[in-house]
Each structure stands twice: as C-alpha cells, then as structure tokens.
Amino acid sequence: MNTADLPVSKLPKDFLWGFATASFQIEGSTDVDGRAKSIWDDFSKQPGKTQDGRNGDIATDSYRLWKDDIALLVKYGVKSYRFSISWPRIIPLGGRNDPINPKGIEWYSNFIDALLDNGIIPFVTLYHWDLPQALHERYKGWLNKDEIVQDYVRYARVCFEAFGGRVKHWLTMNEPWCISVLGYGRGIHAPGRSSDRHRSPEGDSSTEPWIVGHNVILSHANAVKLYREEFKETQGGQIGITLNGDWAMPYDNSPKNIAAAQQAMDAALGWFADPIYLGRYPTFLKKMLGDRLPDFTPEELRVIKGSSDFYGMNTYTTNLCKAGGDDELQAKVIYTFTRPDGTQLGTQAHCGWLQDYPDGFRALLNYVWKRYRMPIYVTENGFAVKNENSKPMKEALLDHDRVQYFRGTTNALLSAVVEDGVDIRAYFPWSFVDNFEWADGYVTRFGVTYVDYETQARHPKESAKFLVKVYFPVILLCCFLKVPLATVVPGTC
Ligand code: GBH
C-alpha cells in the first residue's frame, strides 16, 4: 500500500501513551535514604482518615520494586510512563535554604535512566500532593504565598537541574482543585483543614481553598517562568499543568440547569484553566466569592497567562447538574447520576462519584479544545470496579466493567480526534497498578494491574490486556502509517 496516497492522520506520530502513578500512592519506603515526612504520612495514620485505616508506609513497595515495575511496563509495551517525584525525598525539609538530599536525586536518576534504556519516555509530575511536612509546620504550606512560591520554584529548579537533561515532559502540579478543595475545604485529604470542627481542629472552608488555589497557580506559573528562562533552550522540553475536571451536563433543558452546568465547569475547571490560558478568573467565581477570591496583580497575571505549553486533563466521569444547594465548593450546583426518567447515567464504580459515561469524555475534550485551543494531554482517566477488593483475585482480574470503561473512553478519544478535529497528544490511563487511593486507603482499586498486598505480586487484569493488545497497537499503527483510524480498524469511529 502506498501510504502517501492516504490522508494524513490527525494523530501526531509522537502521540504518547502509557500508564500513570504518583509517588505517595506507590513508593512506600517512607523512612529510607533521607526522605522526611510529607503531609500525607501522619495524616493517613490518624484514626478515621482512611477507609481501612491503612497508610502509605508500604503502598505497592515501588521504591524497592522499581526494577520489577519497569519490567512490567516493558512487557506492556508502553511508550511513556507518568510518575511523580516526591518533594520530601529531594529536599527533605522542603525550603529554599534547606539541604538537597543526594540519595533522593540518585534514586529518581537511576529510575529515569532505566526507563530511557528501555525506550520509555518519562512524563514527570513535580507535585502530586506530598508536600514536605516541615513546610506545613513552618508556615502552613500552601496557605503562605510569600514562602511557598519561592520554595516550590527552588524545588522545581533542583529537579530541572538534576533531571531536565533527560526529562522532556514536565507537569508542575497534579489537580490544583483537589489540593485546594479536598485538603483545605472538605478536609478529607492532607493537611485535613476545614470549617467542620468534627473533622478538623483548624481551617476555614470559606476562604482557605481559594487562597491555596491562588498560591498553587502562582507557584506553577513561576516554575514555568524559570523553566522557560533558564532551561527550555538547552533542555528543549515541554512544561504545563494538569487539571481535574469532569464533564458537567445539564440535568434537563431548563435554562437554570443549563446555567448550573456552566457554573460547575467554571468553578471546577475554569478556576484554574481560565487564569492560566485566558488570563482571568471566571466571572461567575468572582461573583460567588467577592473579596474572598484573591486578586492577581497585573504583574502576576503576566506570568500566569500562557504558563502552560498544553492542556493537561485528568478526567473520570460526567455529572448531571441541577441548580441549587449552598455548597460553594461545588458552585452551588447539585450533582446526580440519576436522569429525570429515573435511569442511571452509566455503570456505577466502587466510588460514589464515578460512573462510566464515554460521551461525556468526548464532550469535555471538545469543550476544552474550543475554549482554550491548546493541545490536550490526557494524563489520567480510569475506573474502579465495584467491590473489586472483596473478590478473590482470579475474579478481580476479569475486570469487565473497567474494560467496558476503557473501550468507551478510547473510542471517545479517537472520535474526538478523527471526527471532531480535537488536538490530542497523549493518553495515560490511571493507574498502572492498584495503589494507595488516598482517603479510600486500599479499598478502592484503580489499577489495570492487580496488586496482591500480601506478597506485592503484580497480575495484569483484562483491562491491561485490552489496552495493551487492542488499543495501544492501533494507536501505534496509526501514528506510524499516518493513516486515519478508520483505515486500521473499520468502524472504530
Ligand atoms: C485522581 O483525582 C488523582 O490524581 C489520583 O491520585 C487518584 O488516585 C485518582 O484520581 C483516582 O481517584 O468530593 O470526595 O466526592 C481524580 C479527581 C476529583 C475525583 C474529586 C474525585 C470527587 C471527590 N477527583 N472527585 S469527593
């Protein structure tokens, strides 16, 4: 076949695919090689903070078993691997004048080398929620703009210097919404602050999330500024942020519910994406919060606007939105999965917040592409099968609902590229392995690989086989032959 005659695929030939993880969720070995505590260490040990009372001390033991993990990634044939660096391993006390830990640098350095030796592109998150505990104690961490921005930028500098010769894909922050709302609003994530005195001894859910979000944006933007000014030219990488955001769909056609869905998008995703890509906070957010939403100075805004080379997207589900309620953290919108006719939107996952609805993923990709006009990297997308943890392993490996989920989302992604013309450059299912699922402990499993926590043995689930044998080869072929997907798999799109 003369491929030159065929129309050129809109999938870039360097489309990245692989799986994603985060340091605290997999590494364990929390007290070795000079690592100091992160805010999750003690938090996860307080009674009632995780569903099963378990913590991150061992997790999937990946700090010790990293060679096995890489061997499995090789077996899966991934092109890239998304993981995060633990700040308290690199700078145990966290601050800009605190010592760097050579052992921490060495571990990630070896890990990156081994990935590259195996032809796997490292896709690195600098911050996936494990703030050095010392910074929280010293000055309240993300609440303290004057300190945290400088300390984060110095941490980023250390990473660019140590790894930037080899790492060409950087994410500054994972999900600022979760950092702010879950950590300082709902208080269900570390450091566990909220106005609810049954839950938290300290905190103010009406102000702190917005302050933290603001400081996370500034820290991100200043790290990008540093990268662009001092590293990009010689290292030639890309840098950006990744935001969580689920598609908000009006409950019905009433104008108030249509407006509610847009409010939900503005508050969850626009809160961060609008300043970073458009240079301003969403009007709705300002209206709802008044003075409680901090202002950026014009000088700060110049640093923030355009501070991401791409749109990093973490997305899992779709919410039907009804106007009402007084929960500002949810834009005064009520979420449901039950349609007006009483049916469910999709298959229920183990966690209450997640149902399978692939059309919502396609709609979100289109929304983000139209609104921000940036290439999209899907850096997380995944499903937790209901009651998977209670099943015998053999049964858990037959994760039919997760296979269905990925069948839907991968098709939605391909349709968005081929039929809708959305510019998508990467796809990383969450997660490579079952792992420490934050407040859920180990009860909720998101892995395409089953982890037996007694032995730490890894067993590929059907979903891993689906992605590795069906989806990834199709992508590979399309990128390689430069043909549209429908040519390779008729009826795909
Ligand atoms: C991702 O966040 C995280 O990046 C990853 O570490 C995690 O393991 C993965 O999800 C699976 O959970 O108000 O309590 O109902 C996903 C984004 C946003 C999903 C908040 C859950 C509702 C939380 N999350 N959302 S709640």
Side-chain angles (χ1 to χ4, degrees):
M1 176 185 356
N2 181 359
T3 53
D5 294 342
L6 291 162
V8 174
S9 165
K10 287 173 194 144
L11 271 184
K13 70 173 183 329
D14 50 359
F15 187 90
L16 296 175
W17 73 88
F19 296 107
T21 61
S23 47
F24 193 78
Q25 295 182 270
I26 63 164
E27 288 179 354
S29 297
T30 47
D31 58 357
V32 308
D33 290 349
R35 178 191 183 275
K37 280 181 189 174
S38 78
I39 51 173
W40 270 94
D41 287 57
D42 289 349
F43 178 79
S44 60
K45 287 175 190 160
Q46 285 170 32
K49 298 302 183 195
T50 62
Q51 267 185 43
D52 52 6
R54 291 165 68 199
N55 56 57
D57 282 359
I58 300 174
T60 65
D61 211 5
S62 288
Y63 190 82
R64 291 193 316 117
L65 301 177
W66 63 278
K67 287 184 180 159
D68 298 351
D69 281 354
I70 290 182
L72 184 55
L73 288 166
V74 170
K75 204 170 122 201
Y76 284 166
V78 300
K79 183 155 176 182
S80 181
Y81 176 53
R82 175 181 173 226
F83 62 97
S84 80
I85 295 178
S86 160
W87 183 346
R89 287 196 198 280
I90 302 294
I91 306 167
L93 298 177
R96 56 198 178 279
N97 298 313
D98 293 322
I100 297 169
N101 175 26
K103 285 242 161 97
I105 304 251
E106 189 187 326
W107 190 92
Y108 288 105
S109 189
N110 291 337
F111 187 73
I112 290 164
D113 280 345
L115 286 174
L116 291 169
D117 286 347
N118 285 288
I120 299 170
I121 297 168
F123 204 108
V124 180
T125 315
L126 287 169
Y127 185 75
H128 200 129
W129 309 352
D130 42 1
L131 185 78
Q133 170 75 16
L135 298 187
H136 186 70
E137 283 168 12
R138 198 178 288 167
Y139 56 71
K140 293 207 171 82
W142 291 112
L143 283 165
N144 189 328
K145 170 171 144 178
D146 294 337
E147 298 286 347
I148 196 72
V149 176
Q150 296 184 65
D151 284 353
Y152 176 81
V153 170
R154 192 281 189 128
Y155 161 60
R157 173 189 289 282
V158 172
C159 291
F160 300 149
E161 279 171 357
F163 314 121
R166 292 162 288 168
V167 172
K168 306 299 165 191
H169 298 273
W170 293 103
L171 290 169
T172 52
M173 305 279 178
N174 183 72
E175 303 183 344
W177 184 95
C178 289
I179 301 170
S180 315
V181 172
L182 304 182
Y184 299 79
R186 306 225 184 277
I188 58 176
H189 281 188
R193 297 175 65 90
S194 78
S195 296
D196 178 355
R197 288 290 162 265
H198 296 294
R199 182 182 288 283
S200 320
E202 280 179 38
D204 181 348
S205 306
S206 71
T207 54
E208 290 188 2
W210 318 108
I211 295 168
V212 167
H214 198 77
N215 297 344
V216 169
I217 294 172
L218 280 166
S219 302
H220 145 80
N222 279 285
V224 171
K225 179 172 184 281
L226 168 73
Y227 186 76
R228 287 176 177 166
E229 286 175 0
E230 297 187 34
F231 297 92
K232 191 168 172 109
E233 206 186 327
T234 49
Q235 300 186 344
Q238 300 189 6
I239 187 163
I241 192 164
T242 200
L243 307 178
N244 60 296
D246 294 325
W247 180 236
M249 202 158 87
Y251 178 69
D252 57 22
N253 281 329
S254 68
K256 69 177 196 310
N257 292 336
I258 292 173
Q262 185 58 50
Q263 278 172 219
M265 292 305 289
D266 287 347
L269 195 146
W271 176 8
F272 302 98
D274 282 14
I276 290 170
Y277 301 104
L278 308 177
R280 53 178 155 76
Y281 275 129
T283 314
F284 164 74
L285 210 56
K286 275 200 181 146
K287 222 174 78 195
M288 179 173 73
L289 300 170
D291 289 350
R292 286 178 294 134
L293 187 68
D295 279 325
F296 294 116
T297 66
E299 200 182 313
E300 286 170 343
L301 266 183
R302 271 195 297 279
V303 179
I304 292 163
K305 189 177 178 185
S307 62
S308 187
D309 293 337
F310 49 82
Y311 187 99
M313 176 188 288
N314 287 358
T315 193
Y316 288 80
T317 195
T318 294
N319 293 301
L320 290 168
C321 296
K322 276 191 222 181
D326 55 7
D327 185 357
E328 284 182 347
L329 300 174
Q330 212 167 280
K332 298 186 180 171
V333 171
I334 295 164
Y335 287 173
T336 177
F337 288 129
T338 308
R339 293 196 184 88
D341 66 5
T343 59
Q344 291 296 289
L345 193 63
T347 304
Q348 180 62 49
H350 192 73
C351 15
W353 54 269
L354 173 49
Q355 285 196 357
D356 177 7
Y357 188 66
D359 288 351
F361 181 39
R362 182 170 175 182
L364 178 70
L365 288 164
N366 274 277
Y367 174 90
V368 164
W369 172 237
K370 286 204 185 87
R371 189 174 172 96
Y372 303 113
R373 286 287 155 187
M374 295 299 281
I376 298 170
Y377 289 63
V378 180
T379 46
E380 276 182 37
N381 179 237
F383 191 80
V385 175
K386 201 169 168 60
N387 298 326
E388 194 172 273
N389 192 47
S390 329
K391 296 180 183 171
M393 190 203 25
K394 282 230 161 71
E395 227 174 276
L397 297 182
L398 308 175
D399 56 340
H400 176 78
D401 287 355
R402 190 180 283 103
V403 172
Q404 269 307 104
Y405 179 90
F406 284 128
R407 205 189 292 285
T409 51
T410 54
N411 266 320
L413 184 147
L414 298 176
S415 303
V417 172
V418 176
E419 290 175 37
D420 310 335
V422 180
D423 183 355
I424 306 175
R425 311 233 176 134
Y427 183 64
F428 291 92
W430 181 272
S431 175
F432 172 43
V433 285
D434 292 332
N435 57 47
F436 176 70
E437 180 51 26
W438 308 112
D440 286 17
Y442 297 88
V443 174
T444 303
R445 292 174 178 263
F446 269 93
V448 298
T449 310
Y450 187 93
V451 175
D452 175 348
Y453 290 108
E454 299 290 309
T455 62
Q456 293 294 351
R458 276 80 159 133
H459 304 270
K461 301 179 193 174
E462 286 300 308
S463 56
K465 295 179 191 163
F466 167 76
L467 288 164
V468 162
K469 291 202 177 130
V470 180
Y471 179 66
F472 291 160
V474 166
I475 296 288
L476 183 65
L477 214 58
C478 290
C479 297
F480 180 70
L481 294 175
K482 284 193 156 299
V483 297
L485 274 154
T487 321
V488 180
V489 187
T492 309
C493 310

